[in-house]
Amino acid sequence: KQEVTQIPAALSVPEGENLVLNCSFTDSAIYNLQWFRQDPGKGLTSLLLIQSSQREQTSGRLNASLDKSSGRSTLYIAASQPGDSATYLCAVMTTDSWGKLQFGAGTQVVVTP
Amino acid sequence: DTGVSQDPRHKITKRGQNVTFRCDPISEHNRLYWYRQTLGQGPEFLTYFQNEAQLEKSRLLSDRFSAERPKGSFSTLEIQRTEQGDSAMYLCASSLDGGGKETQYFGPGTRLLVL
């Protein structure tokens, strides 16, 4: 049974610092891994999707890496801004359950001015 | 706006009542998903459709829950005889089938409170 863990549960950094968010999963048989952002009381916004065959994806200040063999992904956000304050969730799609995303509980990030 | 939409955004009901939520996916997307999210947790998968066919249901989806996608476009999720434990955010997502390479796009959610 796939389990997805995100540590730490919460993180506070001053503006301008780089953010490093971690995601680990127990079953390496995945199709892809997605990172999402969720603002309080809102739905999810997709940030990056990494295919199982890829090592990383980049979009602007965001970079996500994937090490399938060790069951880890890391989301880097460069030069954080107060607008980056949100909860960040990772989710995996495993090969035995095509279509279904399994989520971690998220890391709540606060960027202080 | 061509994103995923959900209606209503908020619903307060009394225990024992039935509620129905609607999801309108992005128009060309053939896959539609329902998830449930409780406070402090990530979303949990409930069910998904490919066109009008319901392909998978979670064990979380008790007999009181039913979902439909009658014409392969919008979907409804009905909860009968609501219980306080049903209080949660119900999220809908859609995607275009891409053999596991597709991004799921989420709607704003329907927040349910059962009193």
Side-chain angles (χ1 to χ4, degrees):
Chain A
K1 179 178 180 282
Q2 178 75 270
E3 290 185 8
V4 182
T5 304
Q6 292 186 250
I7 295 173
L11 184 61
S12 180
V13 298
E15 181 177 4
E17 254 192 38
N18 297 333
L19 280 164
V20 181
L21 306 177
N22 298 304
C23 172
S24 62
F25 49 95
T26 55
D27 183 354
S28 62
I30 64 170
Y31 274 121
N32 62 55
L33 183 144
Q34 279 189 253
W35 282 94
F36 294 89
R37 168 189 171 132
Q38 186 173 33
D39 293 290
K42 302 290 178 62
L44 281 64
T45 300
S46 179
L47 298 175
L48 290 167
L49 181 147
I50 312 177
Q51 300 297 339
S52 61
S53 58
Q54 297 175 318
R55 299 285 292 187
E56 67 178 344
Q57 278 287 346
T58 298
S59 175
R61 294 186 295 113
L62 276 59
N63 174 277
S65 66
L66 175 64
D67 184 342
K68 204 171 64 164
S69 60
S70 67
R72 295 185 184 199
S73 177
T74 303
L75 178 66
Y76 300 90
I77 303 177
S80 61
Q81 303 167 359
D84 294 328
S85 298
T87 296
Y88 292 82
L89 296 142
C90 71
V92 297
M93 185 184 298
T94 54
T95 56
D96 66 348
S97 192
W98 189 8
K100 170 176 130 178
L101 286 176
Q102 292 180 253
F103 285 83
T107 295
Q108 185 175 16
V109 171
V110 174
V111 180
T112 54
Chain B
D1 183 11
T2 57
V4 178
S5 62
Q6 293 186 245
D7 185 68
R9 296 289 307 277
H10 303 273
K11 179 71 177 179
I12 301 174
T13 191
K14 293 182 179 178
R15 189 162 51 105
Q17 298 294 305
N18 299 343
V19 295
T20 300
F21 309 141
R22 177 180 169 123
C23 171
D24 286 89
I26 293 171
S27 59
E28 66 269 23
H29 284 183
N30 56 351
R31 288 187 162 218
L32 186 147
Y33 312 81
W34 285 99
Y35 294 84
R36 179 172 69 186
Q37 185 178 27
T38 53
L39 203 61
Q41 300 299 315
E44 296 174 292
F45 171 82
L46 292 178
T47 188
Y48 90 93
F49 293 84
Q50 174 133 344
N51 300 312
E52 65 273 12
Q54 189 172 15
L55 294 188
E56 186 172 346
K57 291 171 59 172
S58 164
R59 280 170 286 186
L60 291 174
L61 218 62
S62 75
D63 291 344
R64 297 184 298 105
F65 288 71
S66 63
E68 293 183 343
R69 194 181 184 199
K71 297 182 180 178
S73 57
F74 72 92
S75 175
T76 58
L77 178 68
E78 180 183 17
I79 309 174
Q80 296 182 328
R81 304 181 304 281
T82 52
E83 301 172 357
Q84 288 183 325
D86 296 331
S87 296
M89 173 82 91
Y90 289 83
L91 293 162
C92 175
S94 71
S95 71
L96 188 60
D97 183 8
K101 300 179 182 179
E102 64 271 22
T103 295
Q104 292 188 18
Y105 296 90
F106 281 76
T110 294
R111 184 170 294 282
L112 173 67
L113 178 61
V114 181
L115 301 176

